[in-house]
Amino acid sequence: GTLSSQCVHEITSQWQVKDFVNTDEDSTAGLKLIYAAPHCHAPVCISMELYNANTGELICHAGAIKGTGSSAKYDENGFLAIPPCLWSTNENDELPPPILLPL
């Protein structure tokens, strides 16, 4: 068999935007995604992908970054951080525009 140290475990989940929005579906087109971040307990986290299940489009990929022990905040040696995916309506942010997720 494969050594456990060489295994990659995958967790998947499917949900609909309307399950997370408390609104009248007739008056709302959806929501604009401006922040997406995984929640996991390291050191087992490698990455997080968020896909549009209707189209198969990859919306967000957040990959783990290993800390180097510099003096920067949250850069502890050997620890993993997974930066979020960000979108913005402000052109000065140099971020992509928000993604509309329909209900």
Side-chain angles (χ1 to χ4, degrees):
T2 304
L3 296 174
S4 61
S5 62
Q6 297 177 350
C7 292
V8 175
H9 301 273
E10 185 176 299
I11 299 172
T12 61
S13 176
Q14 291 189 357
W15 48 270
Q16 296 178 320
V17 172
K18 68 180 181 179
D19 296 335
F20 291 88
V21 178
N22 185 14
T23 187
D24 178 13
E25 291 183 32
D26 295 330
S27 64
T28 303
L31 60 88
K32 287 187 177 180
L33 191 60
I34 58 169
Y35 179 93
H39 173 88
C40 63
H41 297 267
V44 297
C45 305
I46 297 172
S47 66
M48 184 274 309
E49 288 82 28
L50 178 63
Y51 287 90
N52 181 325
N54 294 330
T55 66
E57 173 191 9
L58 177 63
I59 295 173
C60 169
H61 170 82
I65 299 171
K66 188 175 181 181
T68 63
S70 75
S71 60
K73 191 174 184 180
Y74 305 119
D75 189 29
E76 292 91 353
N77 190 31
F79 282 78
L80 297 177
I82 303 181
C85 294
L86 302 171
W87 297 268
S88 176
T89 56
N90 184 341
E91 293 178 9
N92 295 327
D93 289 339
E94 298 181 7
L95 296 171
I99 296 172
L100 178 64
L101 299 175
L103 293 182

